[in-house]
Amino acid sequence: MTGPGTGTGPAPAGWRPALSSAVSLRHDRVRDADLLLLPERVVVLRGSAAKILRLCDGDRDLDAIVAELRSRFPGAPVAEDVPAFLDRMRGEGWVR
Amino acid sequence: MTAAPRPWALLAELTHGCPLHCPYCSNPLELVRRSRELSTAEWTEVMRQAGELGVVHTHLSGGEPLLRGDLAGIVTAAESAGIYTQLVTSGVGLDGARLATLTAAGLRSVQLSLQHADPAASDRIAGHRSYAAKERAAALVRAAGLPLGINVVLHRDNLDALDAIIERGLDWGADRIELANTQFYGWALRNRDALLPTRDQLGRARDTVQRWRDRLGGATDLVWVVPDYFDGVAKPCMGGWGAVSLTVAPDGTVLPCPAAASLPDLDPPNVRDHPLEWIWDHSGAFNRYRGEDWMREPCRTCSRRAEDFGGCRCQAYALTGDAARTDPACALSPDHGVIRALTTDPGHPAGAGTPAPTGGYAYRKPGG
């Protein structure tokens, strides 16, 4: 079986999240919304999801993403919420 | 009139030319001649307008879109308009150089059709020796790192091979396997006697899909497109008429759904005559069955009307002669008997326990 698989189990040590190659993150000017575009579906991103995903460039590790967001959004619970969100994205196979 | 929601998706039928002759082809019975096809410049303009209208996703389809020598240019036009591109292909005509050109142009993903797991049966259903080309195409797409979907139209002739079909899709490296039960209009309606499965076949196939889903645990997406003849439930066709997506036919005709070419008095607009935005917002064709005002009983007061939109207009027309009637697939339709007779009558293959002999198709071809 050669399916690419979605990320299950704990995130790998030193994980540097990046968008899956199947996924395109775009701002939709017509609807003023951020979208994840996939082969057969469109996901409308809410809240700060797109801001987090734009930092998933394969260079930053999880700590760097959290630090960047903490500096942009002082007081927001980024240390708890962001790793949990990215884990869910990994579970969906949209972030690897 | 309240403003219609913006469309998300465009089905671009770039050509009706195709090396395959599948008896359930979703193209209309009257295929568009190649000399009537939109030019590269016209498709480029369609993509630009579609992007401005809100389209973010396009299926570059056909027929066989690889027959268009200018396909890469059309991909570039879509990409420039901010539209995610998926090539929908039989695989015939795809080689490494062609795929490299398309990928460089911005192609994002590929959906490959497969007719059967057995090469000879796949070729027989397609009416063309194409299995080997499909196998090669799948390997090329994987090697290029593009997401690969395998699309299998299911019917009496291949439902019993579902295990092998799923295994083949996995072997070929599919991220997604779409198991689409035949929808009966156009060519498939013409071939309904040969294609309609039995209830037993469908029951076994459902179990098979569930077993594979349990085994795969989401690693590969298995999509089961339900057969609407058997459960008394109409499908929510296109997510509503003129609500989510639009189809542009090879000659520029714009339709709310690829089968709507069959509706005799729709008078569909054409991109050669009108901007896409006007077509979406103001054309008679796109407003004909939009929303709920057109509905009669039992749809008009039905609690399901916002979920299934009265079902499929093209099926209502094909089976009752009136596109504004409730889809006969719905058990609440006064016309449901025409479908029930096909799926419960023990004298009919679909009502009986054993499948009738397969084959004997009216293959899809120009002038068919």
Side-chain angles (χ1 to χ4, degrees), chain B residues 244-305:
Chain B
V244 177
S245 72
L246 67 170
T247 296
V248 177
D251 63 355
T253 303
V254 191
L255 295 161
C257 118
S262 66
L263 302 181
D265 57 349
L266 191 63
D267 189 23
N270 192 296
V271 292
R272 283 171 164 151
D273 306 321
H274 300 283
L276 218 46
E277 184 176 20
W278 180 89
I279 289 172
W280 180 259
D281 283 332
H282 300 297
S283 70
F286 272 79
N287 284 295
R288 176 79 61 89
Y289 305 112
R290 190 174 255 158
E292 299 178 357
D293 289 349
W294 60 274
M295 288 180 182
R296 304 177 201 148
E297 296 297 352
C299 291
R300 178 176 280 281
T301 55
C302 182
S303 62
R304 290 186 52 82
R305 69 185 185 280

Short mmCIF file of all heavy atoms in Angstrom, two decimals, chain B residues 244-305:
data_model
loop_
_atom_site.label_atom_id
_atom_site.label_comp_id
_atom_site.label_asym_id
_atom_site.label_seq_id
_atom_site.Cartn_x
_atom_site.Cartn_y
_atom_site.Cartn_z
N VAL B 244 -23.35 26.76 -6.64
CA VAL B 244 -21.98 26.43 -6.25
C VAL B 244 -21.02 26.43 -7.43
O VAL B 244 -19.88 26.87 -7.32
CB VAL B 244 -21.95 25.05 -5.55
CG1 VAL B 244 -20.52 24.66 -5.19
CG2 VAL B 244 -22.83 25.04 -4.31
N SER B 245 -21.50 25.94 -8.57
CA SER B 245 -20.57 25.76 -9.67
C SER B 245 -21.23 25.97 -11.03
O SER B 245 -22.46 26.04 -11.13
CB SER B 245 -19.95 24.36 -9.60
OG SER B 245 -20.91 23.39 -9.96
N LEU B 246 -20.40 26.08 -12.03
CA LEU B 246 -20.89 26.21 -13.39
C LEU B 246 -20.02 25.37 -14.32
O LEU B 246 -18.89 25.03 -14.00
CB LEU B 246 -20.94 27.67 -13.83
CG LEU B 246 -19.65 28.47 -14.02
CD1 LEU B 246 -19.96 29.80 -14.69
CD2 LEU B 246 -18.99 28.76 -12.69
N THR B 247 -20.61 25.04 -15.46
CA THR B 247 -19.93 24.24 -16.47
C THR B 247 -19.82 25.08 -17.75
O THR B 247 -20.80 25.69 -18.16
CB THR B 247 -20.76 22.97 -16.78
OG1 THR B 247 -20.81 22.16 -15.61
CG2 THR B 247 -20.14 22.17 -17.93
N VAL B 248 -18.63 25.13 -18.33
CA VAL B 248 -18.50 25.72 -19.66
C VAL B 248 -18.19 24.59 -20.64
O VAL B 248 -17.20 23.86 -20.48
CB VAL B 248 -17.40 26.80 -19.70
CG1 VAL B 248 -17.24 27.35 -21.13
CG2 VAL B 248 -17.74 27.95 -18.74
N ALA B 249 -19.07 24.42 -21.61
CA ALA B 249 -18.93 23.36 -22.61
C ALA B 249 -17.88 23.79 -23.65
O ALA B 249 -17.49 24.95 -23.71
CB ALA B 249 -20.30 23.11 -23.27
N PRO B 250 -17.42 22.84 -24.47
CA PRO B 250 -16.34 23.14 -25.42
C PRO B 250 -16.62 24.34 -26.33
O PRO B 250 -15.70 25.04 -26.74
CB PRO B 250 -16.22 21.85 -26.24
CG PRO B 250 -16.70 20.78 -25.32
CD PRO B 250 -17.79 21.41 -24.50
N ASP B 251 -17.89 24.57 -26.67
CA ASP B 251 -18.21 25.68 -27.58
C ASP B 251 -18.57 26.96 -26.84
O ASP B 251 -19.05 27.91 -27.46
CB ASP B 251 -19.38 25.27 -28.49
CG ASP B 251 -20.65 24.99 -27.71
OD1 ASP B 251 -20.62 25.02 -26.46
OD2 ASP B 251 -21.70 24.74 -28.35
N GLY B 252 -18.35 26.98 -25.51
CA GLY B 252 -18.59 28.20 -24.75
C GLY B 252 -19.97 28.29 -24.13
O GLY B 252 -20.28 29.25 -23.41
N THR B 253 -20.82 27.30 -24.38
CA THR B 253 -22.12 27.26 -23.72
C THR B 253 -21.92 27.12 -22.22
O THR B 253 -21.09 26.31 -21.79
CB THR B 253 -22.95 26.06 -24.24
OG1 THR B 253 -23.09 26.17 -25.65
CG2 THR B 253 -24.32 26.02 -23.58
N VAL B 254 -22.65 27.90 -21.43
CA VAL B 254 -22.49 27.85 -19.98
C VAL B 254 -23.74 27.22 -19.38
O VAL B 254 -24.87 27.63 -19.69
CB VAL B 254 -22.26 29.25 -19.38
CG1 VAL B 254 -21.85 29.14 -17.92
CG2 VAL B 254 -21.20 30.00 -20.17
N LEU B 255 -23.51 26.23 -18.52
CA LEU B 255 -24.61 25.44 -17.96
C LEU B 255 -24.46 25.33 -16.45
O LEU B 255 -23.35 25.29 -15.93
CB LEU B 255 -24.60 24.03 -18.56
CG LEU B 255 -24.87 23.93 -20.07
CD1 LEU B 255 -24.39 22.60 -20.61
CD2 LEU B 255 -26.36 24.14 -20.33
N PRO B 256 -25.59 25.24 -15.74
CA PRO B 256 -25.52 25.04 -14.29
C PRO B 256 -25.02 23.64 -13.93
O PRO B 256 -24.59 23.41 -12.80
CB PRO B 256 -26.97 25.22 -13.83
CG PRO B 256 -27.61 25.99 -14.93
CD PRO B 256 -26.95 25.52 -16.19
N CYS B 257 -25.09 22.70 -14.85
CA CYS B 257 -24.60 21.34 -14.60
C CYS B 257 -24.32 20.71 -15.96
O CYS B 257 -24.96 21.07 -16.95
CB CYS B 257 -25.62 20.56 -13.78
SG CYS B 257 -26.32 19.13 -14.56
N PRO B 258 -23.35 19.79 -16.02
CA PRO B 258 -22.96 19.26 -17.34
C PRO B 258 -24.09 18.54 -18.07
O PRO B 258 -24.09 18.47 -19.29
CB PRO B 258 -21.80 18.30 -17.02
CG PRO B 258 -21.81 18.11 -15.55
CD PRO B 258 -22.51 19.27 -14.94
N ALA B 259 -25.08 18.03 -17.32
CA ALA B 259 -26.17 17.30 -17.97
C ALA B 259 -27.26 18.22 -18.48
O ALA B 259 -28.15 17.80 -19.21
CB ALA B 259 -26.76 16.27 -17.00
N ALA B 260 -27.22 19.51 -18.08
CA ALA B 260 -28.33 20.41 -18.39
C ALA B 260 -28.46 20.71 -19.87
O ALA B 260 -29.46 21.29 -20.31
CB ALA B 260 -28.19 21.71 -17.59
N ALA B 261 -27.45 20.32 -20.66
CA ALA B 261 -27.57 20.48 -22.11
C ALA B 261 -28.77 19.70 -22.64
O ALA B 261 -29.27 19.98 -23.73
CB ALA B 261 -26.29 20.01 -22.80
N SER B 262 -29.24 18.73 -21.86
CA SER B 262 -30.35 17.88 -22.31
C SER B 262 -31.70 18.57 -22.17
O SER B 262 -32.69 18.09 -22.72
CB SER B 262 -30.36 16.57 -21.51
OG SER B 262 -30.65 16.83 -20.15
N LEU B 263 -31.77 19.67 -21.40
CA LEU B 263 -33.07 20.33 -21.19
C LEU B 263 -33.42 21.13 -22.44
O LEU B 263 -32.65 22.00 -22.85
CB LEU B 263 -33.02 21.23 -19.95
CG LEU B 263 -32.65 20.50 -18.65
CD1 LEU B 263 -32.65 21.47 -17.47
CD2 LEU B 263 -33.60 19.34 -18.38
N PRO B 264 -34.57 20.87 -23.06
CA PRO B 264 -34.83 21.37 -24.40
C PRO B 264 -35.08 22.88 -24.48
O PRO B 264 -34.76 23.50 -25.48
CB PRO B 264 -36.08 20.59 -24.82
CG PRO B 264 -36.74 20.23 -23.54
CD PRO B 264 -35.66 20.02 -22.55
N ASP B 265 -35.65 23.48 -23.46
CA ASP B 265 -36.03 24.89 -23.58
C ASP B 265 -35.22 25.79 -22.66
O ASP B 265 -35.65 26.86 -22.26
CB ASP B 265 -37.52 25.05 -23.26
CG ASP B 265 -37.85 24.52 -21.87
OD1 ASP B 265 -36.96 23.86 -21.27
OD2 ASP B 265 -38.96 24.77 -21.37
N LEU B 266 -34.02 25.35 -22.31
CA LEU B 266 -33.22 26.11 -21.34
C LEU B 266 -32.61 27.35 -21.97
O LEU B 266 -32.39 28.36 -21.30
CB LEU B 266 -32.12 25.21 -20.76
CG LEU B 266 -31.37 25.74 -19.55
CD1 LEU B 266 -32.32 25.92 -18.37
CD2 LEU B 266 -30.23 24.82 -19.16
N ASP B 267 -32.34 27.30 -23.27
CA ASP B 267 -31.70 28.41 -23.98
C ASP B 267 -30.44 28.88 -23.25
O ASP B 267 -30.35 30.03 -22.82
CB ASP B 267 -32.69 29.57 -24.12
CG ASP B 267 -32.15 30.65 -25.04
OD1 ASP B 267 -31.27 30.33 -25.88
OD2 ASP B 267 -32.58 31.80 -24.90
N PRO B 268 -29.47 27.99 -23.09
CA PRO B 268 -28.29 28.34 -22.28
C PRO B 268 -27.45 29.44 -22.93
O PRO B 268 -27.32 29.48 -24.16
CB PRO B 268 -27.51 27.03 -22.19
CG PRO B 268 -27.95 26.24 -23.37
CD PRO B 268 -29.37 26.62 -23.65
N PRO B 269 -26.91 30.34 -22.12
CA PRO B 269 -26.09 31.43 -22.63
C PRO B 269 -24.71 30.94 -23.05
O PRO B 269 -24.33 29.81 -22.74
CB PRO B 269 -25.98 32.37 -21.43
CG PRO B 269 -26.16 31.48 -20.24
CD PRO B 269 -27.07 30.37 -20.66
N ASN B 270 -23.96 31.80 -23.71
CA ASN B 270 -22.64 31.43 -24.22
C ASN B 270 -21.64 32.54 -23.90
O ASN B 270 -21.97 33.72 -24.01
CB ASN B 270 -22.71 31.20 -25.74
CG ASN B 270 -21.46 30.53 -26.27
OD1 ASN B 270 -20.36 31.08 -26.23
ND2 ASN B 270 -21.62 29.31 -26.76
N VAL B 271 -20.44 32.15 -23.50
CA VAL B 271 -19.41 33.15 -23.19
C VAL B 271 -19.01 33.97 -24.42
O VAL B 271 -18.39 35.02 -24.28
CB VAL B 271 -18.13 32.52 -22.58
CG1 VAL B 271 -18.41 31.96 -21.20
CG2 VAL B 271 -17.57 31.45 -23.50
N ARG B 272 -19.35 33.48 -25.59
CA ARG B 272 -19.05 34.25 -26.80
C ARG B 272 -20.01 35.45 -26.92
O ARG B 272 -19.74 36.38 -27.68
CB ARG B 272 -19.15 33.37 -28.04
CG ARG B 272 -17.92 32.47 -28.19
CD ARG B 272 -18.07 31.43 -29.29
NE ARG B 272 -16.79 30.85 -29.64
CZ ARG B 272 -16.63 29.61 -30.13
NH1 ARG B 272 -17.67 28.83 -30.32
NH2 ARG B 272 -15.43 29.16 -30.41
N ASP B 273 -21.13 35.40 -26.19
CA ASP B 273 -22.14 36.47 -26.30
C ASP B 273 -22.24 37.34 -25.06
O ASP B 273 -22.66 38.49 -25.15
CB ASP B 273 -23.53 35.85 -26.53
CG ASP B 273 -23.55 34.91 -27.72
OD1 ASP B 273 -22.89 35.23 -28.72
OD2 ASP B 273 -24.20 33.85 -27.62
N HIS B 274 -21.91 36.77 -23.89
CA HIS B 274 -22.15 37.49 -22.63
C HIS B 274 -20.99 37.27 -21.67
O HIS B 274 -20.38 36.21 -21.67
CB HIS B 274 -23.42 36.97 -21.94
CG HIS B 274 -24.66 37.13 -22.74
ND1 HIS B 274 -25.31 38.33 -22.89
CD2 HIS B 274 -25.38 36.22 -23.45
CE1 HIS B 274 -26.39 38.16 -23.65
NE2 HIS B 274 -26.44 36.89 -24.00
N PRO B 275 -20.74 38.27 -20.79
CA PRO B 275 -19.76 38.06 -19.72
C PRO B 275 -20.27 36.99 -18.75
O PRO B 275 -21.48 36.84 -18.54
CB PRO B 275 -19.67 39.41 -19.01
CG PRO B 275 -20.37 40.38 -19.89
CD PRO B 275 -21.31 39.62 -20.76
N LEU B 276 -19.33 36.28 -18.14
CA LEU B 276 -19.68 35.21 -17.21
C LEU B 276 -20.50 35.74 -16.02
O LEU B 276 -21.41 35.07 -15.53
CB LEU B 276 -18.38 34.55 -16.71
CG LEU B 276 -18.37 33.04 -16.49
CD1 LEU B 276 -18.98 32.27 -17.63
CD2 LEU B 276 -16.93 32.57 -16.24
N GLU B 277 -20.16 36.93 -15.57
CA GLU B 277 -20.88 37.48 -14.41
C GLU B 277 -22.36 37.70 -14.75
O GLU B 277 -23.24 37.38 -13.95
CB GLU B 277 -20.25 38.80 -13.97
CG GLU B 277 -20.90 39.36 -12.71
CD GLU B 277 -20.20 40.61 -12.21
OE1 GLU B 277 -19.47 41.26 -13.00
OE2 GLU B 277 -20.39 40.95 -11.03
N TRP B 278 -22.64 38.24 -15.95
CA TRP B 278 -24.04 38.42 -16.36
C TRP B 278 -24.74 37.06 -16.46
O TRP B 278 -25.88 36.90 -16.03
CB TRP B 278 -24.09 39.13 -17.72
CG TRP B 278 -25.51 39.36 -18.18
CD1 TRP B 278 -26.31 40.43 -17.91
CD2 TRP B 278 -26.31 38.44 -18.96
NE1 TRP B 278 -27.56 40.24 -18.47
CE2 TRP B 278 -27.58 39.03 -19.12
CE3 TRP B 278 -26.06 37.17 -19.53
CZ2 TRP B 278 -28.62 38.41 -19.83
CZ3 TRP B 278 -27.09 36.55 -20.23
CH2 TRP B 278 -28.35 37.17 -20.38
N ILE B 279 -24.02 36.11 -17.02
CA ILE B 279 -24.59 34.76 -17.18
C ILE B 279 -24.97 34.19 -15.82
O ILE B 279 -26.08 33.67 -15.63
CB ILE B 279 -23.59 33.84 -17.91
CG1 ILE B 279 -23.49 34.26 -19.39
CG2 ILE B 279 -23.98 32.38 -17.77
CD1 ILE B 279 -22.39 33.55 -20.17
N TRP B 280 -24.08 34.32 -14.85
CA TRP B 280 -24.33 33.76 -13.52
C TRP B 280 -25.48 34.49 -12.82
O TRP B 280 -26.36 33.88 -12.24
CB TRP B 280 -23.05 33.85 -12.68
CG TRP B 280 -23.20 33.29 -11.30
CD1 TRP B 280 -23.38 34.00 -10.15
CD2 TRP B 280 -23.18 31.91 -10.91
NE1 TRP B 280 -23.47 33.16 -9.07
CE2 TRP B 280 -23.36 31.86 -9.51
CE3 TRP B 280 -23.03 30.70 -11.61
CZ2 TRP B 280 -23.39 30.66 -8.79
CZ3 TRP B 280 -23.08 29.50 -10.90
CH2 TRP B 280 -23.25 29.50 -9.51
N ASP B 281 -25.44 35.82 -12.91
CA ASP B 281 -26.42 36.60 -12.13
C ASP B 281 -27.77 36.75 -12.84
O ASP B 281 -28.81 36.74 -12.19
CB ASP B 281 -25.86 38.00 -11.85
CG ASP B 281 -24.83 37.99 -10.73
OD1 ASP B 281 -24.91 37.09 -9.87
OD2 ASP B 281 -23.94 38.86 -10.74
N HIS B 282 -27.75 36.92 -14.16
CA HIS B 282 -28.96 37.41 -14.82
C HIS B 282 -29.55 36.51 -15.90
O HIS B 282 -30.68 36.75 -16.32
CB HIS B 282 -28.68 38.79 -15.43
CG HIS B 282 -28.26 39.80 -14.40
ND1 HIS B 282 -29.10 40.20 -13.38
CD2 HIS B 282 -27.10 40.46 -14.22
CE1 HIS B 282 -28.46 41.09 -12.62
NE2 HIS B 282 -27.24 41.25 -13.10
N SER B 283 -28.80 35.54 -16.38
CA SER B 283 -29.36 34.74 -17.48
C SER B 283 -30.56 33.94 -17.00
O SER B 283 -30.64 33.51 -15.84
CB SER B 283 -28.29 33.79 -18.05
OG SER B 283 -28.00 32.76 -17.12
N GLY B 284 -31.50 33.73 -17.92
CA GLY B 284 -32.68 32.94 -17.60
C GLY B 284 -32.31 31.52 -17.20
O GLY B 284 -32.91 30.94 -16.29
N ALA B 285 -31.31 30.96 -17.88
CA ALA B 285 -30.94 29.56 -17.61
C ALA B 285 -30.47 29.38 -16.17
O ALA B 285 -30.83 28.41 -15.51
CB ALA B 285 -29.84 29.13 -18.58
N PHE B 286 -29.67 30.31 -15.67
CA PHE B 286 -29.13 30.15 -14.32
C PHE B 286 -30.16 30.50 -13.24
O PHE B 286 -30.00 30.10 -12.08
CB PHE B 286 -27.84 30.95 -14.14
CG PHE B 286 -26.63 30.15 -14.55
CD1 PHE B 286 -26.30 30.01 -15.89
CD2 PHE B 286 -25.87 29.48 -13.61
CE1 PHE B 286 -25.23 29.23 -16.28
CE2 PHE B 286 -24.79 28.69 -13.99
CZ PHE B 286 -24.47 28.57 -15.33
N ASN B 287 -31.20 31.25 -13.61
CA ASN B 287 -32.22 31.58 -12.62
C ASN B 287 -33.42 30.65 -12.65
O ASN B 287 -34.26 30.71 -11.76
CB ASN B 287 -32.67 33.03 -12.82
CG ASN B 287 -31.63 34.00 -12.28
OD1 ASN B 287 -31.38 34.04 -11.07
ND2 ASN B 287 -30.99 34.75 -13.16
N ARG B 288 -33.48 29.81 -13.67
CA ARG B 288 -34.67 28.98 -13.88
C ARG B 288 -35.04 28.14 -12.64
O ARG B 288 -36.19 28.12 -12.22
CB ARG B 288 -34.44 28.05 -15.09
CG ARG B 288 -35.54 27.07 -15.38
CD ARG B 288 -36.72 27.70 -16.11
NE ARG B 288 -36.32 28.25 -17.39
CZ ARG B 288 -36.31 27.55 -18.54
NH1 ARG B 288 -36.68 26.29 -18.55
NH2 ARG B 288 -35.93 28.12 -19.67
N TYR B 289 -34.07 27.46 -12.07
CA TYR B 289 -34.37 26.58 -10.92
C TYR B 289 -33.54 26.98 -9.69
O TYR B 289 -33.26 26.17 -8.82
CB TYR B 289 -34.10 25.12 -11.28
CG TYR B 289 -34.88 24.69 -12.50
CD1 TYR B 289 -34.23 24.39 -13.70
CD2 TYR B 289 -36.27 24.62 -12.47
CE1 TYR B 289 -34.94 24.02 -14.83
CE2 TYR B 289 -37.00 24.26 -13.60
CZ TYR B 289 -36.32 23.96 -14.77
OH TYR B 289 -37.03 23.60 -15.89
N ARG B 290 -33.14 28.23 -9.67
CA ARG B 290 -32.36 28.74 -8.53
C ARG B 290 -33.31 28.98 -7.36
O ARG B 290 -34.43 29.43 -7.54
CB ARG B 290 -31.69 30.03 -8.95
CG ARG B 290 -30.66 30.54 -7.99
CD ARG B 290 -29.94 31.76 -8.58
NE ARG B 290 -28.60 31.44 -9.05
CZ ARG B 290 -27.93 32.15 -9.96
NH1 ARG B 290 -28.50 33.19 -10.53
NH2 ARG B 290 -26.71 31.81 -10.31
N GLY B 291 -32.82 28.68 -6.15
CA GLY B 291 -33.67 28.92 -4.97
C GLY B 291 -34.85 27.97 -4.92
O GLY B 291 -34.75 26.82 -5.38
N GLU B 292 -35.98 28.41 -4.39
CA GLU B 292 -37.12 27.52 -4.17
C GLU B 292 -38.40 27.97 -4.85
O GLU B 292 -39.40 27.27 -4.82
CB GLU B 292 -37.37 27.39 -2.65
CG GLU B 292 -36.18 26.80 -1.91
CD GLU B 292 -36.40 26.73 -0.40
OE1 GLU B 292 -37.45 27.20 0.07
OE2 GLU B 292 -35.50 26.22 0.29
N ASP B 293 -38.38 29.15 -5.48
CA ASP B 293 -39.63 29.69 -6.03
C ASP B 293 -40.24 28.82 -7.12
O ASP B 293 -41.45 28.82 -7.31
CB ASP B 293 -39.40 31.10 -6.60
CG ASP B 293 -39.17 32.12 -5.49
OD1 ASP B 293 -39.41 31.76 -4.31
OD2 ASP B 293 -38.74 33.25 -5.80
N TRP B 294 -39.40 28.08 -7.84
CA TRP B 294 -39.88 27.26 -8.95
C TRP B 294 -40.55 25.97 -8.47
O TRP B 294 -41.22 25.30 -9.25
CB TRP B 294 -38.70 26.89 -9.85
CG TRP B 294 -37.65 26.11 -9.10
CD1 TRP B 294 -36.63 26.61 -8.37
CD2 TRP B 294 -37.58 24.69 -8.96
NE1 TRP B 294 -35.90 25.60 -7.79
CE2 TRP B 294 -36.47 24.40 -8.13
CE3 TRP B 294 -38.33 23.62 -9.46
CZ2 TRP B 294 -36.10 23.10 -7.78
CZ3 TRP B 294 -37.96 22.32 -9.12
CH2 TRP B 294 -36.86 22.07 -8.29
N MET B 295 -40.35 25.64 -7.19
CA MET B 295 -40.78 24.32 -6.71
C MET B 295 -42.31 24.21 -6.64
O MET B 295 -43.00 25.16 -6.35
CB MET B 295 -40.20 24.05 -5.32
CG MET B 295 -38.73 23.78 -5.30
SD MET B 295 -38.16 23.47 -3.60
CE MET B 295 -36.40 23.25 -3.90
N ARG B 296 -42.78 22.98 -6.90
CA ARG B 296 -44.18 22.63 -6.67
C ARG B 296 -44.23 21.62 -5.54
O ARG B 296 -43.21 21.16 -5.05
CB ARG B 296 -44.78 22.01 -7.93
CG ARG B 296 -44.64 22.88 -9.16
CD ARG B 296 -45.21 22.10 -10.35
NE ARG B 296 -44.69 22.62 -11.60
CZ ARG B 296 -44.48 21.86 -12.68
NH1 ARG B 296 -44.76 20.57 -12.63
NH2 ARG B 296 -44.01 22.39 -13.78
N GLU B 297 -45.44 21.22 -5.19
CA GLU B 297 -45.55 20.12 -4.23
C GLU B 297 -45.08 18.83 -4.90
O GLU B 297 -45.26 18.69 -6.11
CB GLU B 297 -47.01 19.97 -3.75
CG GLU B 297 -47.52 21.17 -2.99
CD GLU B 297 -46.77 21.43 -1.69
OE1 GLU B 297 -45.93 20.58 -1.28
OE2 GLU B 297 -46.99 22.49 -1.10
N PRO B 298 -44.49 17.90 -4.15
CA PRO B 298 -44.31 17.93 -2.69
C PRO B 298 -43.06 18.69 -2.22
O PRO B 298 -42.86 18.82 -1.03
CB PRO B 298 -44.18 16.44 -2.35
CG PRO B 298 -43.54 15.84 -3.56
CD PRO B 298 -44.10 16.60 -4.73
N CYS B 299 -42.26 19.22 -3.15
CA CYS B 299 -41.01 19.87 -2.74
C CYS B 299 -41.28 21.17 -1.97
O CYS B 299 -40.61 21.47 -0.97
CB CYS B 299 -40.14 20.20 -3.95
SG CYS B 299 -39.45 18.74 -4.76
N ARG B 300 -42.25 21.95 -2.43
CA ARG B 300 -42.43 23.32 -1.96
C ARG B 300 -42.52 23.42 -0.43
O ARG B 300 -42.00 24.37 0.16
CB ARG B 300 -43.69 23.90 -2.60
CG ARG B 300 -44.05 25.30 -2.18
CD ARG B 300 -45.25 25.80 -2.95
NE ARG B 300 -44.89 26.28 -4.28
CZ ARG B 300 -44.35 27.48 -4.53
NH1 ARG B 300 -44.13 28.33 -3.57
NH2 ARG B 300 -44.04 27.83 -5.76
N THR B 301 -43.16 22.44 0.19
CA THR B 301 -43.32 22.48 1.65
C THR B 301 -42.52 21.37 2.34
O THR B 301 -42.73 21.11 3.52
CB THR B 301 -44.81 22.31 2.02
OG1 THR B 301 -45.30 21.11 1.42
CG2 THR B 301 -45.63 23.50 1.53
N CYS B 302 -41.62 20.75 1.61
CA CYS B 302 -40.90 19.60 2.16
C CYS B 302 -39.77 20.06 3.09
O CYS B 302 -39.07 21.04 2.79
CB CYS B 302 -40.32 18.76 1.03
SG CYS B 302 -39.45 17.28 1.60
N SER B 303 -39.58 19.33 4.17
CA SER B 303 -38.53 19.72 5.12
C SER B 303 -37.14 19.47 4.54
O SER B 303 -36.15 20.00 5.04
CB SER B 303 -38.69 18.93 6.42
OG SER B 303 -38.54 17.54 6.15
N ARG B 304 -37.06 18.67 3.46
CA ARG B 304 -35.74 18.37 2.89
C ARG B 304 -35.36 19.32 1.75
O ARG B 304 -34.30 19.17 1.15
CB ARG B 304 -35.74 16.92 2.35
CG ARG B 304 -35.77 15.87 3.44
CD ARG B 304 -35.61 14.47 2.84
NE ARG B 304 -34.45 14.40 1.96
CZ ARG B 304 -33.21 14.22 2.38
NH1 ARG B 304 -32.97 14.05 3.66
NH2 ARG B 304 -32.21 14.18 1.52
N ARG B 305 -36.23 20.29 1.44
CA ARG B 305 -36.00 21.08 0.22
C ARG B 305 -34.71 21.89 0.25
O ARG B 305 -34.12 22.15 -0.79
CB ARG B 305 -37.20 21.98 -0.08
CG ARG B 305 -37.40 23.13 0.90
CD ARG B 305 -38.69 23.87 0.55
NE ARG B 305 -38.89 25.05 1.38
CZ ARG B 305 -39.37 25.03 2.62
NH1 ARG B 305 -39.69 23.87 3.19
NH2 ARG B 305 -39.52 26.15 3.30
#
